[in-house]
Every structure is written in C-alpha cells, then in structure tokens.
Amino acid sequence: DYVASQLEKVGFTVDRQYKKSSEASPIWLRTEGKEGKWHLYTAAWSSTVLSRDEKNMFQQMYLASSAQGSQPFLSNVSDPAFQKLGDDLNNAAFTTLPQRREMMVKAMSLAMEDSLQVWLIDGKNYAPIAPTVQATGDLAAGLEGAQVWPYTLRFVGKEGGQLKWGEPDLFADPWNPIAGSNWAFDQAAIRATSSGDTMNDPYTGLVWPLRIAKAVVTFQTGLPAGKTLPWVDFNYADTIKVPADAWADWDAKTQTFIAAGDGKTAKRKTVVFYPADLFKTVKWHDGSNVSMGDIVMGMIYTFDRAKKDSAIYDEANAVPIFDAFMAAFKGMKIVSSDPLIVEYYSDAYFQDAELNVPVFWPSYGYGEGSWPVLAVAGRAEAEGKLALSSDKAGADANKPVEQTSFIGGPSLAVLAEYLDKSIADKFVPYAPTLGKYVTADEAVARYTAVKAFYAAHGHFWIGTGPYLLDKVFLTEKSLTLKQFADYPDLASKWSSFGEPKLATVALDGPGQVKIGEEAVFTATVTFKDAPYASADIKQVKYLLYDATGAVVSVGEGKATGEGVYTITLGADITSKLAAGSNKIEIAVIPLPVSIPAFTSMEFVTAP
C-alpha cells in the first residue's frame, strides 16, 4: 500500500490488484493514456555493523556485479560508466583520498540517474527491554543486528536465568550457512550460535580479535591507510609480492587449488595469527574440536560452488559473488597449521587496517558450518536431492528440489540419510585437498558426533558460539537457545561493551571579547560526570562564526588536563570579528564511540 501510494503521488494510476508475497507482485500502472505491467520488487536493508567505509555500496545496491546475487540485480543492465566506477570503488582502485572523494561524488550522481533501487523509507526501530536485563545494541544495527549481543546479555546483578525474547517473525527462509535465511529476525538467533575471526565494535565499526590472536597488515606505499587499535600491526612496503605457491584459484575437476605463480603483486597483504591452543580449546556444539579441516573447507567453498566443473555449481547464487571477489583477490597461503598462520593478498583494501582481516573462520555469510555437515549437504545437492540456495532449488521449474534447511522440514531426513552414507563410506570430501588435513578415521568420528547431536536436538545447526540451538519449533515459530558449557571465553570478556561511552562536553569562556585581543575558552569533556580520558579522545575541534554566520576560523583545542581542552583565539583571529554577537562551536571526537559530542556558546565582541 505504501509503494502504491507513492506511485500515485508521482502521477500513476494504480490498480491495486496485487497480493502480499515475499516475491515480486505485479502492479498495473496507467499514466498519460498508456498502460503497462510493471514488476516492482520491494525489500528492506538494514546494517549489521556501524559502517566506516561505504565505498562498496554502489556496486552492492545498484549494479549487475552486486555480490547480492539476486535475480533483479543479475537482470540489470547497468550504465557502463556507473558499472566501472562502482566496481573501482568496491575494489579500492584509488591511491589518494581526494581521488576517492571525487569518485564517490560522481557515483552519487550516477546512482540518481541509474536507480535500480529507489529508497522510500528510512526506518527507525526500537527494542523494549525489561529493566532487569542488560543488552548491548549496535549504534547502526540495533540490538538484534549486533554481533555482540549474545556475549553481553545478562540479568542485572544476577547470574544465569531464563530470558524470553520476542520477534516479529521467525524461520522466514530455511536456515543453512551458505545461502540460507538473511532475515534480521532469524539472524538475531543465528548470531548467538556463531563465533568468528573478529568481533564488531558496536560503537565504532572497527573490529577486535575474537578467535584470532593478532594480525599484521601491509599496504603498498602511498595508499591512504592507518590504524586505531593496538592489536593490529600496520606498515607499508614499496612492493608486495604474492608467493608463487599461494592458493589463487580452484580447479573443481581435480579438486585442488591453483597456485598464483611467479610475478604477481598486491596492494595489500594481511597475516592472520591464531592462538596456539585454538584447536584444543574451541569446540563445535556437537563436542568436536574445531580443526584444520573446518578452516580449509571454508577456503574450498569460497571457490567451488562458482566453478562449472563442481558437483554443486550454482550459477545464480555463487558466480556473481565469486566474480566480485576475484576482481581483487590475489592469493592466500597457509604458512603454518600449528599454530595456524595464514597470509592473504588482495588489491582491495579499507583505510582502517583493522578492517582488512579476511575471514578464514568457517563462517559462510549466513552462519557457521562444520565441515562434516557441509559435506553431507554437498553430497545431497550433488545428487539432486537438495539445493543450498533458493535460486538453484527452483532453477528447474519442472523438477524443483527442496532448499536445504539444517533446522527442519523434509531436508532433515535427506541429510540424515547422507550422514549415514558418509559414515559407511568414511567419506572425506574434496579428498585431493581436504584429505591432507582429515583422515578417514577422523571423518567417521566427526560424522558420528554430528549424528549424536541430531539425535539429541533434532536438527543439524551446529556452531561454536556461546549459545547452542537446543530445540526448533517451525510451526509455532519458536526456538530455545541454551548456554554452551564448553564455550572457552569468560562471560566478562566483552563487558566493556555494556554501555556506549558517550561523551558530554561543556564550554566555558568570556561573554565579551575585545576585538584584537586574545580570548581563551575551556572545553571540559566527561562521561557520567567523570573526566573523559584524554587518551580516548581523538580530537577536540572548534569552529568560530561571526555575526553573519560565516566561518572565521577552524582549529583544535589543546589538552591541558584529563578531559580538559583549551581553545585559544589569538589576536589575529579576533581582529577579524566585527562588533556584535559571535558563536564558537565545539566538536569532540571520542575513540570508544563513533558519535561526536557538540556544544556551543555565544559571546559579544566590541572594539
């Protein structure tokens, strides 16, 4: 109804004979005596992290090369100039910030001319929470979209307990980690069951180590980049050579990685270091230890589904995402398996060094997946019994198959059947590569653990997160999550994210200033009435306006105490002011949270 009303406002006559559906519904439009049938696709997008760099959004939201891979995008014929510009921004094909800004400005204009998407509503949601509950939300993603909520949820002053969480909907699409449900309501629960390489900072958009120990990021000399947090090391190199034996592509026929070969270079290199005890302390919910098999399976799946020779080739769902990825990817190399150290080479980069950590953890975009469960799902798809994506499930209208769901429906019986086959066959998927990391006996042990989990919980959703998916009730649209007793981290690990450290600033200074004489103002920055640590303040900036509202001076305050900053307007500055009322405005940029604090005061100048 909203879409129809907006169309009517711009001159269309709308025949509202359309149905409510998750698919596109045709709407008949009439204008200026012409009649036609238009297909309008309605959707919603919400951020899952506080984005610090949205240069990728033009490609993602407007262009045929979008990594979203949905049919409207694949069918889009983009303006060639916009297509190239969006791809170049996504792949960071710029060397200076002014060049980047020029590209962004041009892309904004082209997005208005070639609008695959027309944005209608900027929604604001709220999450009512009982006063006895402490829950951390993301400044952009809210509560259910925050990665950190399962790690910080607790009752105030109480250990343990049962919490009831209400959602507008559940199980909008089947759950599987490759191409399953991306609905915010489903993902809220999925996040509780998952871990990952890094933890999104809900207040800054940067990331912290979750499963990794540290990272070293090297940029090609001259690229605009820097770092904020201490856990990542950052440096420059004139030339970044890709090792000849790095894995740069995948041969689905031989099921082996293709080496990069000699002579390749990259704009960015990241070395990711994992803890020495990773494979001893981190467990899947079925009790199995995370292993190199899980890591390498994730690497294989990055490539295999996009290759025509693969038994699980998915042209519609996998190829667009893969093509966008390969436009900048140069290679990766497992330097060590114990402890795990991986190198990664790419021409794409973010200006924050912290955001250049690639995903090696077995997270697949829609949740985690252990290699034995993915192996079973892959066998079922290869034999035409299931399909991981909705695109492939419905690709043959004459012979549709069930989209793979790890949590319910007809998929469970099929997965259970192939699980038994895999145990009997001692099946190691992608044996030419994965067989170097997984033995036949280890495979049987992992499959057996999955079978025991399925018998106990009635589904195959197995993660490594702080909560285990215990029971699923598809008809009733409810589920139960339980604390995972073998989760290795303490509950207090992320307690610093319990509340955003929002700054408050007060400004004091003379109410009257003599033109041509120095004037001193003092900005005091606090959090909960206590001084804000100066080490946590990136900048205190001032803007001076004259009586006409024109900017006379811009500068920075000088730290003169903990949370105290002095702004000095020299005689050369006040001499530019005319007699009358002026205003000085202060902006405080804190490091722990990406929301600045503002204040201002007016003062009078006289000769």
Side-chain angles (χ1 to χ4, degrees):
D1 287 340
Y2 182 87
V3 173
S5 66
Q6 295 303 304
L7 290 169
E8 289 169 337
K9 286 181 180 180
V10 294
F12 286 104
T13 300
V14 181
D15 180 3
R16 301 184 182 222
Q17 299 302 313
Y18 55 87
K19 61 181 180 178
K20 291 184 178 180
S21 169
S22 60
E23 301 297 327
S25 298
I27 300 178
W28 284 90
L29 309 175
R30 299 180 182 89
T31 183
E32 297 181 358
K34 297 180 181 180
E35 187 172 299
K37 188 176 184 180
W38 292 35
H39 284 273
L40 299 180
Y41 292 79
T42 59
W45 178 86
S46 60
S47 177
T48 56
V49 66
L50 189 63
S51 180
R52 295 172 66 90
D53 188 347
E54 296 193 331
K55 67 181 187 296
N56 63 310
M57 284 298 167
F58 298 103
Q59 186 196 75
Q60 180 177 333
M61 293 295 180
Y62 292 96
L63 301 173
S65 56
S66 171
Q68 297 194 60
S70 60
Q71 195 56 50
F73 289 89
L74 299 175
S75 301
N76 183 34
V77 180
S78 304
D79 171 70
F82 189 23
Q83 180 74 64
K84 183 180 186 308
L85 181 59
D87 291 345
D88 285 348
L89 277 168
N90 182 75
N91 297 327
F94 51 82
T95 56
T96 66
L97 290 180
Q99 182 186 5
R100 177 188 183 277
R101 184 182 187 280
E102 182 180 343
M103 294 168 69
M104 293 285 283
V105 169
K106 187 175 181 180
M108 287 290 288
S109 177
L110 290 175
M112 297 296 99
E113 297 175 15
D114 187 18
S115 296
L116 174 67
Q117 301 244 31
V118 178
W119 303 94
L120 299 175
I121 305 171
D122 182 9
K124 298 293 183 184
N125 300 319
Y126 64 91
I129 304 172
T132 56
V133 175
Q134 178 181 320
T136 300
D138 186 286
L139 292 180
L143 181 56
E144 65 189 9
Q147 182 191 5
V148 75
W149 81 256
Y151 302 83
T152 57
L153 187 70
R154 62 200 65 197
F155 289 103
V156 178
K158 177 184 174 182
E159 185 175 328
Q162 293 184 349
L163 178 93
K164 291 185 178 180
W165 180 309
E167 287 282 6
D169 196 8
L170 270 179
F171 316 128
D173 285 317
W175 286 21
N176 76 65
I178 305 298
S181 178
N182 195 33
W183 286 79
F185 321 127
D186 290 336
Q187 282 295 321
I190 288 171
R191 288 185 183 92
T193 69
S194 305
S195 188
D197 288 306
T198 58
M199 170 68 74
N200 292 325
D201 189 314
Y203 308 134
T204 67
L206 293 171
V207 297
W208 295 86
L210 176 53
R211 283 288 155 255
I212 66 174
K214 67 174 184 176
V216 178
V217 183
T218 303
F219 290 93
Q220 187 179 54
T221 301
L223 293 179
K227 76 158 193 170
T228 303
L229 304 177
W231 66 267
V232 61
D233 290 331
F234 160 70
N235 56 67
Y236 281 108
D238 292 338
T239 303
I240 300 174
K241 294 182 179 180
V242 179
D245 59 347
W247 292 347
D249 208 338
W250 173 255
D251 186 330
K253 185 175 291 185
T254 63
Q255 297 187 351
T256 55
F257 281 103
I258 300 170
D262 294 322
K264 289 188 177 181
T265 61
K267 291 182 179 178
R268 186 255 299 181
K269 170 187 176 181
T270 302
V271 186
V272 182
F273 298 82
Y274 290 81
D277 61 355
L278 174 72
F279 299 135
K280 297 177 182 178
T281 58
V282 183
K283 295 181 180 293
W284 292 97
H285 293 161
D286 64 4
S288 303
N289 284 6
V290 169
S291 70
M292 276 301 299
D294 297 302
I295 302 295
V296 175
M297 188 69 150
M299 295 176 172
I300 292 172
Y301 258 73
T302 300
F303 297 84
D304 188 62
R305 296 176 62 245
K307 301 294 184 178
K308 289 185 178 180
D309 290 326
S310 170
I312 57 172
Y313 174 64
D314 192 329
E315 181 177 11
N317 179 263
V319 173
I321 300 171
F322 179 74
D323 287 346
F325 161 74
M326 287 297 287
F329 174 72
K330 292 300 185 72
M332 58 188 175
K333 180 178 179 179
I334 299 174
V335 178
S336 168
S337 296
D338 187 15
L340 179 59
I341 304 172
V342 188
E343 294 177 351
Y344 185 89
Y345 299 84
S346 177
D347 277 348
Y349 65 92
F350 290 97
Q351 291 155 244
D352 292 295
E354 296 89 339
L355 301 183
N356 289 276
V357 177
V359 176
F360 295 125
W361 193 255
S363 301
Y364 292 87
Y366 298 91
E368 286 183 315
S370 67
W371 79 253
V373 179
L374 291 176
V376 168
R379 293 190 81 177
E381 178 162 327
E383 296 187 17
K385 299 296 181 68
L386 295 172
L388 286 163
S389 76
S390 59
D391 301 277
K392 190 170 182 179
D396 186 347
N398 297 318
K399 192 180 178 182
V401 298
E402 185 78 11
Q403 184 182 1
T404 307
S405 175
F406 285 9
I407 62 169
S411 295
L412 296 185
V414 178
L415 293 172
E417 175 189 348
Y418 280 92
L419 177 61
D420 288 337
K421 286 184 179 181
S422 298
I423 293 174
D425 298 342
K426 295 187 175 182
F427 176 63
V428 177
Y430 307 105
T433 295
L434 199 64
K436 298 176 183 178
Y437 302 94
V438 177
T439 68
D441 288 341
E442 288 170 340
V444 171
R446 291 292 298 270
Y447 290 129
T448 301
V450 172
K451 186 169 183 176
F453 181 90
Y454 176 56
H457 301 283
H459 63 82
F460 290 93
W461 193 262
I462 300 172
T464 65
Y467 291 92
L468 176 153
L469 181 60
D470 182 28
K471 297 296 181 182
V472 177
F473 306 95
L474 292 184
T475 302
E476 296 85 350
K477 289 186 176 291
S478 68
L479 58 83
T480 57
L481 297 169
K482 285 187 176 181
Q483 177 212 12
F484 180 43
D486 288 332
Y487 187 73
D489 297 339
L490 295 175
S492 60
K493 181 174 181 178
W494 302 102
S495 59
S496 61
F497 289 149
E499 181 180 359
K501 196 174 181 181
L502 299 172
T504 300
V505 56
L507 184 61
D508 189 26
Q512 183 171 326
V513 173
K514 187 174 182 179
I515 296 173
E517 292 188 359
E518 180 180 275
V520 179
F521 295 83
T522 301
T524 304
V525 188
T526 59
F527 171 66
K528 289 187 172 181
D529 298 325
Y532 208 104
S534 296
D536 288 338
I537 298 175
K538 180 179 181 180
Q539 186 182 41
V540 173
K541 190 173 184 177
Y542 78 81
L543 290 88
L544 176 63
Y545 303 88
D546 65 14
T548 67
V551 176
V552 175
S553 177
V554 177
E556 291 189 28
K558 180 181 179 181
T560 53
E562 202 71 359
V564 179
Y565 290 78
T566 299
I567 296 93
T568 302
L569 305 180
D572 57 326
I573 295 176
T574 63
S575 63
K576 298 176 183 179
L577 300 173
S581 178
N582 310 273
K583 183 174 75 171
I584 183 170
E585 186 174 58
I586 301 294
V588 178
I589 305 173
L591 292 172
V593 59
S594 290
I595 296 182
F598 298 96
T599 192
S600 64
M601 70 171 289
E602 294 184 356
F603 62 94
V604 175
T605 47

